[in-house]
Amino acid sequence: MNSLISFSTVVGLLFTVLDILAVGPLRSTSYAMTTSGLTLVVVAGRYLDKLSRRQASKHLVKLYEGLSGRDYVKLHPSGKKVPSSFLRPGDTIKLDPFCVVPCDCYVVQGTSTFNQSLVTGEALPITKSLGDFLLAGTKNLNGSLLCIVHREREESFYAQLVRSVSEAGANKIKGQGMIDAVTRWFSLAVVLLAIFSPPLELFYQQKRHPVGFYVGLSRFVERIMTILVSACPCALGLAVPSAVVAAIDAAHSKGILLTKGASTLRELEQVDMIVFDKTGTLTEGAFVVESVTLHPTWDGKEIMLWTLVCTLEEQEANGHPVGVALFKKGLQEIGTRWLDSVDRPKICETATVPGRGVVGKIGIEDAHGSSSWYRVLIGSQEFLRENSVAPCWDTSPATPPLSGIAVHIGINGVLVATLYLQDRIRPEAGETLRNLVDRGYGVAMLTGDAEAEASRVGLQLGIPVLAFRASPSDKLRHIRSLQKAGSKVAMVGDGLNDAPSLAASDVGIIMTCNSSAATVGGSVMILNSDLACLQLLGTIVQKTMRQIRWNVIWAFCYNLVALSLATGMVRPLGYTLKPGSFDVNFVRHNDHAITAIEETATGGWAYD
């Protein structure tokens, strides 16, 4: 568009100068006003375009503002204020009321409510207390808290979210490359049409109505300017990006992030099968430790046991809901003593087996400075057995819970404790699944939990269970078998154990709320942990793809009609265009090109 407008302006100004020299200023045909008006229209259109794009991405701009400021945070117990960029894992900080959380951390003292709307899109405040993780960018609304830094600012979930937004805007939808190529060739074709069409028109008119050379040159210039101004290749180039920007921003305003941008939209449109993980996806993932059974011969103190558990789970707590529950329970048992011992435990040789458990060596110093090392394993009974931990007693409680999962703790080759955890089904899960089925999607569940728990959830929600006690490799195998059967599969999960199946599926959807770990493999992140967002996501994709197709068709039709008028093909019908009369048409077209997609973001599905 810039090249065509520039060529038209140069041609008009040069002919104006030539006409003044040839016939004088009083009799000359000046295109100075026309070219000036056209330039003004282009500048005004660019300004309106910038305003529209800023409006379309206003929610995304707020994300960047959170990293642009230089805020200070108070260290504990010294009270010294330092820039948040100086904080490192293990530092103890004090969060005063109305401050913004500078980095990912967890609470070790105090209770307060937090506004997470900037990060997750959740409008209602959430209460945080001992053992809960706080996400960078969220705002403390009332109480004072003592927290320990878990991840520094540049590695926080908030920083990773901003990077994902940047990458999402840079991705192109499938077919956009072809549209860009067509736009470039279209501009070249318009220039060639402007050069060769006027001489042909003058040649045929000369036979019927002979005119002089100078009059013919004047008509030649007028027709060139009209053709160059009438074409609008930008309408083709903006047809897809405008819709994508509106869709990304509208989705983020509702707590959904399309991490791979435009390329995700096309894949989502083709999905016909959605596979759900259970824990943290169909269930709330907010486990509560219902019972703790210690080995009768465990010679250590219970506080020592929880210190070992917290030390091992501190790095794993943000990767799986079970880790969060154990870490929080441990902090509640230890209390403020964790503040005194946070620098003492040493940990090495850690390893996580997704879906099975975690193992590591932990050294705790005594008052004399000597270290006692413990090999700690936390996970399923099979995981401990595979690592040579022998059960020393019957791990079944006298009154086993009706549902839930069992987590076993082994220390130095001995099974020392068994914990039973409970989880609840999300209240919106049933309705969401029914709506997805009504829309024509197939649904199924894959879980690593035991058969009894999988059956309970499956029966209550009416969803078939593809497999239970499924390891990450089992889940991956089931996803690939569905794809081989011809299905376009979307996988919905929340933990590290879901990463292989999320990456292998056509679309990976990650439930990330209250987790400071950016799970790999997904192209969609549901930040507010609301399963009902899947329905909204489907609506956004459907309307965005429909708007993209309409934009492309409209752009082609507009250019076809405009060039037909500009070249004089419909002159016998009494219609024609001149440069001076086209300014209004250009304004109307530019306004439509800028605002057509914005209606998608404000037309009932983005901000309702």
Side-chain angles (χ1 to χ4, degrees), residues 248 251-252 254-258 524-527 533 536-537 540:
I248 292 175
H252 180 261
K254 295 299 182 180
I256 306 170
L257 177 60
L258 306 176
V524 178
M525 297 170 67
I526 298 180
L527 304 174
C533 285
L536 177 62
L537 179 62
I540 291 176

Side-chain angles (χ1 to χ4, degrees), residues 488-512:
K488 289 288 185 178
V489 182
M491 174 69 187
V492 187
D494 76 312
L496 184 62
N497 59 322
D498 298 318
S501 51
L502 286 169
S505 61
D506 297 284
V507 179
I509 303 175
I510 309 171
M511 306 284 286
T512 63

